[in-house]
Amino acid sequence: MVVEYERRGAVAVVTMNRPEYRNAQNSAMTYALDEAFYRAAEDDGVAVVVLAGAGPHFSAGHDIGTPGRDADATFPRRAGMWWDHVGKAGAESRFARESEVYLGMCRRWREIPKPMIASVQGACVAGGLMLAWVCDLIVASDDAFFADPVVRMGIPGVEYFAHPWVMPPRVAKEFLYTGDRMPASRAYELGWVNRVVARDALEEETLALAGRIAAMPRMGLALTKKAVNQAEDLQGMHAGMDAVFGLHHLAHAHNAETGGDPLGGQDARSMREAPHGS
């Protein structure tokens, strides 16, 4: 299974399970995550959801090159009203697919009315950032690092563009302009990682925090989450993401028109082997 689900008392642990590919997210994983999150949301015995990644890395991002890449497969659409991308051409296909599996799914998960904690080790890159950022809290191991290197593709950041709300705008610009890895310690200093712990203590510390939160009243937690999310949206987060999503697809279209490749000639290996500042 590409996603595993386990109940630990009042905590649902959802684990991405493609460690041989650094938990690269294909569509099968995306929809399996959606199933797991929905299962946790409707289970009255679950108070908190933990999102984790099997193996040495949380997630290397979207699947752009594994044998399990399934970008041309049809899946039941859940996050929006755009039609199936399969069999469509050009920007119509890419916009329809990414509206669903990237931006749409992340927005759907952000609104789950139960606290979510990302338990992050190793790489948390691009699409991995999106998964961590939809969670309410992030507990990171001391070997974790974060990066969004897609400007190397000529694209202005990932689809769920939370950067200016997660970190100060000048830091967000440097993070994107350079594609450098940000260590967990720096993310903690900037306030977008809640705790940094030893790698061998990551699971224990995350579950301990989840347990403390699970003891709070369910309705109070749900309303508090909604209150903070609404405040972010009043600061322009929702509208800002819509605007950047359009720029994201302008970049894909420009790449395809000028070079025949919407990813700007990059692939999983070239992105992994590019300079990363550490």
Side-chain angles (χ1 to χ4, degrees), residues 175-248:
F175 185 67
L176 289 162
Y177 290 171
T178 64
D180 285 352
R181 296 176 177 179
M182 180 181 290
S185 57
R186 176 63 170 151
Y188 177 77
E189 290 173 356
L190 291 167
W192 60 272
V193 162
N194 297 87
R195 299 183 182 184
V196 179
V197 301
R199 176 68 183 86
D200 59 5
L202 178 62
E203 181 179 21
E204 178 183 358
E205 293 285 347
T206 304
L207 290 174
L209 178 59
R212 287 189 60 198
I213 295 169
M216 299 292 279
R218 176 173 62 185
M219 190 63 170
L221 290 170
L223 294 178
T224 300
K225 177 169 183 171
K226 191 167 187 66
V228 177
N229 284 0
Q230 286 178 334
E232 286 184 314
D233 288 338
L234 287 169
Q235 293 165 1
M237 185 172 176
H238 193 282
M241 280 192 185
D242 281 342
V244 177
F245 191 63
L247 297 176
H248 182 98

Side-chain angles (χ1 to χ4, degrees), residues 112-156:
I112 292 170
K114 294 182 179 179
M116 295 177 63
I117 304 175
S119 180
V120 177
Q121 80 284 2
C124 182
V125 176
L129 279 177
M130 292 166 53
L131 295 183
W133 284 350
V134 299
C135 294
D136 304 294
L137 307 178
I138 300 174
V139 179
S141 64
D142 52 13
D143 68 342
F145 64 87
F146 305 87
D148 187 2
V150 301
V151 174
R152 192 172 301 281
M153 298 176 173
I155 297 170

Side-chain angles (χ1 to χ4, degrees), residues 235-269:
Q235 293 165 1
M237 185 172 176
H238 193 282
M241 280 192 185
D242 281 342
V244 177
F245 191 63
L247 297 176
H248 182 98
H249 282 274
L250 172 62
H252 278 312
H254 176 75
N255 286 343
E257 185 173 343
T258 59
D261 176 5
L263 300 184
Q266 300 291 326
D267 58 21
R269 173 172 291 182

